[in-house]
Amino acid sequence: MSGHGGSPFSTPQSLSDWLKPRLPADSLSSWGVKPGTKNVHNLWLELSEGETSLLDSTPPIRTVNVVTVRVLGKDKLILVEAGQELSDGSFRDRFRPLSEKMKPHESVEEAVARAVKEELGSMAARIVPGSYQKKLEERDSASYPGLPARYVLHSVDAWVEGLPDSDFVTEEKEEYEDSDRTMGLEKAVSVRKHFWKWVSSDSFSS
């Protein structure tokens, strides 16, 4: 089962009904309730947008292609997202480079440009030649407890113009506001603010 052709689930409720017998007891009920998690509406939107696919297994496996951008700063510093404030008022720690789920048929270069624009503002990004790496990570989804995730990570180093030299905060527009799939949108959890911090590249590796 793949989300790349549009969601096979007509509504968030139909997705919830499909997930319930396939997930550990009580895990689904914690989604969107436990601080830092997202809910079924979020996962349904990810499937509808083609950002996520689900493997029909027990439990299902969520596969996501993610672009990770190590933004390089002065004096061997790199930019990390220290944390996020969500629309439900909760905060979750991140401590990772700029990361964004890739859309279907999107190139790494296109995803990098979109991630920089959406999360850091309208700034020009230049990818460091030869810095691209691809790796696979499998772990439990932090956003969806009990749902295993397979992350295909596309990592690059980049220079981004116009960033502050000190730590800063950015606000993000609604994640799916350009989508015509608005059912359940008001119930989805979105990221309101990103908290960015410069750290030594010697003390951090992606």
Side-chain angles (χ1 to χ4, degrees), residues 13-34:
Q13 185 59 50
S14 64
L15 172 59
S16 179
D17 293 342
W18 184 84
L19 285 168
K20 209 164 198 174
R22 292 170 170 81
L23 291 176
D26 300 329
S27 63
L28 191 60
S29 60
S30 72
W31 292 12
V33 177
K34 183 180 176 185

Side-chain angles (χ1 to χ4, degrees), residues 89-128:
S90 63
F91 183 90
R92 62 176 182 178
D93 293 323
R94 298 277 282 177
F95 202 75
R96 64 182 66 171
L98 169 62
S99 301
E100 186 77 19
K101 292 188 293 292
M102 295 177 69
K103 295 186 181 295
H105 315 302
E106 190 173 43
S107 70
V108 171
E109 291 78 12
E110 289 168 340
V112 168
R114 182 171 58 83
V116 167
K117 181 178 180 182
E118 289 180 2
E119 299 196 12
L120 296 178
S122 299
M123 300 163 188
R126 287 185 298 129
I127 296 174
V128 177

Side-chain angles (χ1 to χ4, degrees), residues 69-81 95-98 157-158 163 167 196-206:
V69 188
R70 282 168 42 107
V71 177
L72 306 180
K74 300 174 182 175
D75 304 319
K76 290 189 175 181
L77 296 179
I78 64 169
L79 188 68
V80 298
E81 186 179 24
F95 202 75
R96 64 182 66 171
L98 169 62
D157 292 352
L163 295 179
D167 300 348
W196 303 100
K197 187 179 183 68
W198 292 103
V199 301
S200 167
S201 58
D202 296 331
S203 63
F204 182 89
S205 59
S206 63

Side-chain angles (χ1 to χ4, degrees), residues 63-67 134-137 150-154:
T63 299
V64 193
N65 276 274
V66 178
V67 67
K134 180 180 177 180
K135 64 180 179 179
L136 189 67
E137 280 188 9
R150 180 177 292 138
Y151 297 97
V152 183
L153 301 176
H154 304 267

